[in-house]
Amino acid sequence: MPELKTMSWVKDGPVGRVTLNRPELLNAMNNQATCDLNTVAEQIAQDQEIRIVAIAGAGRAFCTGIDLKELSAGKIDITYHDRWESALRKFETMEPVVLCLIHGYCLGGGLQLAMACDIRVSTPSAQIGLPAIRESLIPGLGAWRLPRFVGMGRAKQMILSGDNINGTEAQRIGLVDHLVGKEAYRDEFEVYVAKYLRSCSKGSRLAKLVTGRAFDLDYEAFYEEYIKLQAVAMTSYDFHEAEVAYREKREPRWS
């Protein structure tokens, strides 16, 4: 695998652990980071043993988005955004279930990355927002994803004001799924990683894929996709393991 300069990932059994690693810059994403994120996403998507992906940021923040130093120096062009969106879509559409831990700051591209994950876990005080308008930019496909989480009205308010909300408010409006304490947040995040790992059967992972298309397909097309994936689920090892586990009155052991 090519050397990663802005992040790392390790395989921890069925869990792929991704750490954004530019703590001195609050994990801001420069050009290299967009390349690294694509590399990581491709590697994880190709690993058939990974069922859960856990993304976190080193240091005091999850991610503050686009690297403003590179942007103001004229080093970022439209290809940056193309690479960035390609990486996010890989996480959004890969089979493993993707969780992220939000702490400190989750701004711009940081929130865009979080929205491309399946489950968002946050500290109550985390600062969350899409401040792209301050650089006269569109906040990426955050403009497409955010309305799906919080509705058009709230999405426009956040995007057009550039204001931040905290983790507590983000959970209230449906942008964050779970809150963790401000002190032991990394340990508490692991509780949620373990929780979703326990339920992460083949059926669960396929449910992620079909649910991700819920707003894109009409009923007939969605039903066709559902039937196709349900047939895969019902011929999987995990389905048969669930049947046996039910008869034996025990918890299933997913492949």
Side-chain angles (χ1 to χ4, degrees), residues 23 57 94 103 121 124 126 132 177 180 188 219 227 238-239 244 251:
M94 66 172 55
H103 77 289
V121 180
D177 302 296
V180 289
E188 292 182 37
Y219 174 84
I227 285 293
D238 285 357
F239 177 75
V244 173
E251 290 296 316

Side-chain angles (χ1 to χ4, degrees), residues 14-150:
V15 181
R17 298 187 179 279
V18 180
T19 303
L20 310 180
N21 194 25
R22 302 182 79 207
E24 70 284 359
L25 295 173
L26 301 179
N27 299 316
M29 291 286 177
N30 61 1
N31 278 292
Q32 182 63 47
T34 65
C35 298
D36 288 350
L37 197 62
N38 273 284
T39 298
V40 168
E42 288 165 4
Q43 290 289 321
I44 291 175
Q46 292 168 12
D47 192 319
Q48 298 300 307
E49 296 178 348
I50 292 178
R51 290 187 278 138
I52 290 279
V53 180
I55 304 177
R60 298 185 295 112
F62 174 61
C63 176
T64 53
I66 196 167
D67 188 322
L68 295 179
K69 289 185 177 180
E70 283 202 356
L71 181 66
S72 63
K75 296 180 179 179
I76 288 177
D77 59 25
I78 196 65
T79 62
Y80 172 102
H81 302 287
D82 187 55
R83 290 191 305 273
W84 176 249
E85 297 299 345
S86 175
L88 298 195
R89 192 61 174 164
K90 288 180 175 73
F91 283 106
E92 198 166 44
T93 59
M94 66 172 55
E95 188 174 300
V97 174
V98 185
L99 290 79
C100 70
L101 172 61
I102 297 169
H103 77 289
Y105 295 97
C106 178
L107 303 177
L111 179 52
Q112 293 171 38
L113 173 57
M115 288 190 289
C117 298
D118 302 301
I119 301 294
R120 283 149 297 283
V121 180
S122 177
T123 60
S125 61
Q127 292 297 296
I128 299 170
L130 293 172
I133 58 164
R134 296 171 189 171
E135 283 74 51
S136 191
L137 291 173
I138 299 169
L141 289 187
W144 179 73
R145 293 185 178 95
L146 188 59
R148 295 165 183 250
F149 284 98
V150 303

Side-chain angles (χ1 to χ4, degrees), residues 2 14 50 57-58 137 147 150 187 190 205 222 237 239-240 254:
I50 292 178
L137 291 173
V150 303
D187 291 336
E190 290 305 313
R205 302 194 298 275
F222 189 89
Y237 167 88
F239 177 75
H240 296 296
W254 309 126

